[in-house]
């Protein structure tokens, strides 16, 4: 996805990645979030991105992944950070839970997530809707042709 | 049964790919998509810990991360459209107005 020159193929590969991630969520028995992942990320957000890509009529991007010392440095840096994180995970392997919790199958359902969302986290939930309405209004204002 | 470490390693790799994309790509929209990928890596970590520890708050947090990601995508893409209307490009090397 990162190496494609064409933005559309990049976006479609990202959709595939999101669907695979939903599959991983299913192996973790988080059914609700798997469905939301496909509906919100692979559905809504990526459709928005694809629409914008096609609206803007972009040329092929000029960038290269080879032959530039800055790029080499970046690859080394990102690789080093990734290796470090993986090393930390492997070193602390014995300290983290080994098996999936027996409560996992219950707490992944729509019912229990919804219960938690509307009871313990009722106020943040309302704030989330406020964030969404602000974003919608902001997006319309920003993308409008001319401000009055 | 897959262990928690495997999920965390997948998540670390996904996050690194996203970070690499943000560093190397020069198209604003693709940088956006890479940010989404990094958010997803974090979501995977949260869900994995939530299910292995038997603590449900993690899943609610993932729900909120998704909400914010959706809001961010909408506003960000509107900004990209506004920039394109002014400068006819979304190549971030051409957007150097703040350099003076």
């Amino acid at each position: 996805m990162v190496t494609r020159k064409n933005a559309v193929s990049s976006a479609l590969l990202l959709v595939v990645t999101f669907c695979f991630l939903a599959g991983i969520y299913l192996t973790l028995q988080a059914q609700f979030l798997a469905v939301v992942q496909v509906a919100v990320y692979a559905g809504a957000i990526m459709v928005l991105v694809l629409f914008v890509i096609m609206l803007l009529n972009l040329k092929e991007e000029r960038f290269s992944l080879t032959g530039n010392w800055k790029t080499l440095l970046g690859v080394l840096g990102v690789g080093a950070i990734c290796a470090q994180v993986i090393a930390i995970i492997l070193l602390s392997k014995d300290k983290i839970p080994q098996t999936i919790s027996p409560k996992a199958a219950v707490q992944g359902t729509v019912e229990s997530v919804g219960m938690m969302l509307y009871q313990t986290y009722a106020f943040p939930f309302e704030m989330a809707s406020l964030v969404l309405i602000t974003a919608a209004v902001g997006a319309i204002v920003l993308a409008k042709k001319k401000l009055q | 049964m897959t262990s928690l470490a495997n999920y965390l390693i997948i998540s670390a790799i996904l996050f690194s790919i996203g970070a690499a994309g943000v560093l190397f790509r020069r198209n604003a929209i693709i940088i956006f998509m890479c940010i989404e990928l990094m958010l997803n890596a974090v979501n995977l970590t949260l869900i994995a810990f939530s299910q292995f520890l038997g603590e449900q708050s993690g899943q609610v947090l993932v729900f909120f991360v998704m909400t914010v990601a959706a809001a961010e995508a909408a506003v960000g893409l509107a900004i990209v459209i506004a920039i394109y209307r002014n400068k006819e490009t979304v190549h971030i090397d051409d957007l150097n107005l703040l350099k003076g």
Side-chain angles (χ1 to χ4, degrees):
Chain A
M1 176 226 151
V2 173
T3 56
R4 297 297 99 188
K5 274 209 159 63
N6 189 341
V8 177
S9 43
S10 220
L12 292 178
L13 285 172
L14 190 59
V15 172
V16 174
T17 312
F18 285 160
C19 291
F20 283 151
L21 263 173
I24 294 179
Y25 292 172
L26 275 184
T27 67
L28 280 165
Q29 299 175 327
Q31 302 99 326
F32 170 65
L33 286 169
V35 172
V36 170
Q37 169 86 5
V38 173
V40 173
Y41 269 112
I45 294 182
M46 291 319 289
V47 166
L48 194 66
V49 170
L50 277 172
F51 261 111
V52 171
I53 290 173
M54 291 177 186
L55 205 65
L56 295 189
N57 182 28
L58 299 174
K59 293 165 228 57
E60 292 238 315
E61 186 184 352
R62 34 176 216 279
F63 88 109
S64 70
L65 281 176
T66 51
N68 187 340
W69 67 270
K70 269 189 208 163
T71 318
L72 192 70
L73 210 66
V75 171
L76 282 178
V78 172
I81 293 173
C82 183
Q84 195 181 8
V85 173
I86 290 176
I88 291 172
I89 293 167
L90 289 179
L91 283 178
S92 56
K93 214 174 174 181
D94 307 326
K95 298 191 190 80
I96 54 181
Q98 296 301 317
T99 52
I100 201 157
S101 160
K103 282 192 276 177
V106 181
Q107 69 180 8
T109 58
V110 186
E111 188 190 351
S112 60
V113 175
M115 281 301 237
M116 191 129 200
L117 212 53
Y118 279 106
Q119 285 173 352
T120 323
Y121 292 96
F123 183 68
F125 183 71
E126 298 302 326
M127 286 300 107
S129 59
L130 204 64
V131 167
L132 280 178
I133 192 78
T134 316
V137 174
I140 292 170
V141 170
L142 278 172
K144 238 171 91 173
K145 263 234 165 67
K146 234 195 178 103
L147 292 178
Q148 284 299 323
Chain B
M1 201 75 216
T2 327
S3 74
L4 177 55
N6 296 21
Y7 289 110
L8 294 182
I9 288 172
I10 290 178
S11 172
I13 293 171
L14 267 182
F15 191 89
S16 304
I17 293 173
V22 172
L23 288 177
F24 302 140
R25 297 306 298 256
R26 284 288 161 268
N27 182 338
I29 298 177
I30 291 178
I31 291 179
F32 244 85
M33 296 196 280
C34 290
I35 294 174
E36 302 286 341
L37 191 64
M38 286 156 78
L39 283 171
N40 263 285
V42 175
N43 282 353
L44 178 58
T45 312
L46 282 171
I47 294 182
F49 269 115
S50 154
Q51 294 294 52
F52 275 80
L53 294 174
E55 168 65 54
Q56 196 165 25
S57 304
Q59 302 201 17
V60 179
L61 194 54
V62 169
F63 186 81
F64 289 132
V65 170
M66 282 178 174
T67 316
V68 173
E72 174 240 332
V75 175
L77 289 171
I79 291 175
V80 168
I81 289 179
I83 289 173
Y84 186 80
R85 196 171 284 140
N86 280 330
K87 303 203 61 157
E88 294 283 309
T89 180
V90 292
H91 197 274
I92 58 167
D93 285 344
D94 299 336
L95 307 173
N96 49 8
L97 225 59
L98 278 180
K99 256 186 192 166

